[in-house]
Amino acid sequence: MGDIFVNDAFSAAHRAHATTAGLAAVMPSCAGFQMEKELEALDSLLTAPKRPFVVILGGAKVTDKVKVISRFLDLADVLMIGGAMSLTLLKAKGLSVGASKVEDEGLPAARRRWPRPRRASASSFCHRTSS
């Protein structure tokens, strides 16, 4: 099988797939140089972002991103949310999204933490995607 597992797939590192979590569970593993580079870039965005700092988030599951949204609300000048996640947030605000895909189990979290700008000059947007 191999002697060591090196994970350089930053965008998939959070998923429990056989090629990421499975290999890491059965052999010595570490983050690769590319993942290290991406984590350093993310760290600089979270500690000292250049202004204006615009964050664009997408995806489907609000429940996976509540903490990320909250963190960026403290930092970003503009936060834009798109994809299916935006539909859950719109529905949580009481807006009609028709038959569009919504994460119903994410509605309570979205209602509790609906994105509200925390920085004085911040704005937040929620864009409804076309279906």
Side-chain angles (χ1 to χ4, degrees), residues 43-120:
D43 182 63
S44 71
L45 290 172
L46 293 174
T47 56
K50 294 179 183 173
R51 303 284 176 196
F53 184 36
V54 178
V55 176
I56 303 170
L57 294 175
K61 297 188 81 178
V62 170
T63 53
D64 289 348
K65 296 171 186 79
V66 168
K67 289 180 182 177
V68 172
I69 293 169
S70 294
R71 179 71 173 123
F72 281 130
L73 282 170
D74 290 334
L75 291 171
D77 298 299
V78 177
L79 173 62
M80 293 186 243
I81 300 173
M85 184 170 48
S86 69
L87 299 169
T88 301
L89 296 173
L90 288 169
K91 185 172 180 179
K93 284 198 72 149
L95 300 170
S96 173
V97 295
S100 298
K101 179 180 178 180
V102 170
E103 181 196 6
D104 289 324
E105 56 274 6
L107 289 171
R111 287 185 182 113
R112 280 192 308 274
R113 297 179 179 219
W114 171 253
R116 289 181 182 85
R118 294 188 184 134
R119 294 185 72 249

Side-chain angles (χ1 to χ4, degrees), residues 13-36:
H14 69 289
R15 300 196 184 273
H17 291 204
T19 56
T20 55
L23 289 172
V26 298
M27 64 175 48
S29 57
C30 64
F33 294 125
Q34 183 60 38
M35 185 179 297
E36 181 181 20

